[in-house]
């Protein structure tokens, strides 16, 4: 549990921390990149920042201008891929396993390991789980507080989990759909965990 929390914190930090922002001169950047190697599920191409990450970690960490933030959010929103069959919900029990799992995309994961979402590393979900991080807001009662799985909530929640930058330009939450971390089926299972009335999140 502990190492899972640490990993997620590091992943978040890599995306947005001033201290870990990519070095600015080309030689330093090349040296930085050259010190990494592909190993199992961890691949060097992940050092390439998306345009949004680049803007959010630029020199001096100056807050982005409102127009820049809006542009990043609009681009992220436009690129969200909604479920092909129009059905947003899966199995909350599988969703809970995904939320608990910090596996995937690490050098210790053999190729083909299914990734987890590691949601507990940053969020409270089921109130019976006592090990959770607080980088993100508590999601306990997420569905209940928002009136359940209405069409608007389904769409908003899917887009947020698919690409967190859609609503928060410089979010540190992983882009679970856009970055290919979770499959469409896994996203549906996590949606049920958040929104199904019978899910422990809403008890
Ligand atoms: C590295 C930390 C981190 C991880 C891991 C993470 N989140 Fe988040 N999440 C955040 C932060 C921070 C926010 C607050 C908004 C923002 O900055 O994007 C957030 C916001 C959200 C929201 C919007 C809440 C609202 O009130 O509208 C949802 C839904 C959500 N996360 C779901 C998830 C799910 C599901 C997972 C796992 C699949 C997950 N998050 C994993 C950090 C994280």
């Amino acid at each position: 549990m502990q190492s899972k929390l640490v990993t997620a914190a590091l992943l978040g930090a890599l995306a947005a921390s001033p201290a870990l922002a990519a070095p600015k001169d080309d030689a330093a950047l090349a040296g930085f990149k050259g010190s990494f190697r592909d190993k199992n599920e961890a691949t060097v191409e992940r050092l390439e920042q998306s345009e949004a990450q680049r803007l959010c970690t630029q020199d001096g960490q100056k807050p982005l201008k409102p127009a820049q933030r809006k542009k990043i959010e609009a681009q992220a929103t436009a690129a969200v891929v909604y479920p092909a069959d129009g059905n947003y919900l899966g199995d909350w029990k599988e969703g809970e396993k995904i939320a608990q799992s910090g596996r995937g995309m690490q050098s210790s994961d053999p190729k083909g390991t299914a990734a987890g979402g590691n949601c507990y590393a940053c969020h409270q979900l089921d109130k019976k789980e006592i090990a959770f991080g607080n980088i993100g807001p508590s999601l306990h009662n997420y569905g209940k507080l928002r009136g359940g799985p209405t069409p608007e909530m389904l769409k908003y929640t899917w887009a947020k989990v698919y690409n967190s930058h859609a609503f928060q330009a410089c979010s540190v939450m992983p882009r679970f759909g856009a970055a290919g971390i979770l499959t469409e089926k896994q996203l549906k299972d996590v949606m049920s965990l958040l929104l199904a009335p019978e899910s422990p999140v809403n008890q």
Side-chain angles (χ1 to χ4, degrees):
M1 192 63 72
Q2 204 53 30
S3 73
K4 180 176 99 176
L5 298 182
V6 170
T7 309
L10 280 175
L11 282 174
L14 275 172
S17 145
L20 289 173
K24 50 186 167 189
D25 81 67
D26 290 347
L29 188 59
F32 173 76
K33 288 188 173 169
S35 65
F36 286 89
R37 297 274 175 280
D38 284 358
K39 193 176 171 207
N40 294 328
E41 280 284 298
T43 51
V44 173
E45 94 245 351
R46 293 210 334 253
L47 293 173
E48 300 304 326
Q49 292 183 304
S50 70
E51 180 64 3
Q53 287 171 327
R54 192 185 62 73
L55 288 168
C56 292
T57 57
Q58 66 197 343
D59 292 351
Q61 292 288 294
K62 287 194 206 95
L64 297 187
K65 298 197 180 79
Q68 285 178 302
R69 302 184 70 89
K70 276 210 186 96
K71 191 173 164 203
I72 292 173
E73 290 166 6
Q75 280 171 347
T77 303
V80 172
V81 179
Y82 293 93
D85 62 1
N87 182 8
Y88 288 80
L89 297 171
D91 175 352
W92 69 258
K93 290 188 186 123
E94 290 304 313
E96 169 66 12
K97 288 184 209 157
I98 294 162
Q100 288 281 0
S101 168
R103 292 254 58 92
M105 303 182 90
Q106 299 173 44
S107 58
S108 52
D109 289 320
K111 282 253 179 241
T113 305
N118 217 2
C119 318
Y120 278 99
C122 295
H123 294 286
Q124 179 182 35
L125 288 126
D126 180 344
K127 75 169 187 287
K128 291 205 199 87
E129 172 58 86
I130 54 165
F132 58 86
N134 60 3
I135 294 174
S138 172
L139 299 176
H140 180 236
N141 278 334
Y142 179 84
K144 210 177 188 175
L145 292 170
R146 287 166 178 77
T150 60
E152 295 73 29
M153 274 322 292
L154 288 170
K155 209 170 166 216
Y156 162 72
T157 308
W158 183 274
K160 179 70 196 172
V161 180
Y162 191 93
N163 187 348
S164 52
H165 296 212
F167 302 98
Q168 178 67 269
C170 296
S171 177
V172 297
M173 175 165 146
R175 296 158 296 145
F176 291 103
I181 301 167
L182 299 179
T183 63
E184 188 183 88
K185 181 187 176 301
Q186 287 180 305
L187 289 170
K188 290 183 180 189
D189 293 339
V190 165
M191 288 284 290
S192 278
L193 179 69
L194 292 172
L195 289 161
E198 66 278 17
S199 155
V201 164
N202 297 313
Q203 306 299 316

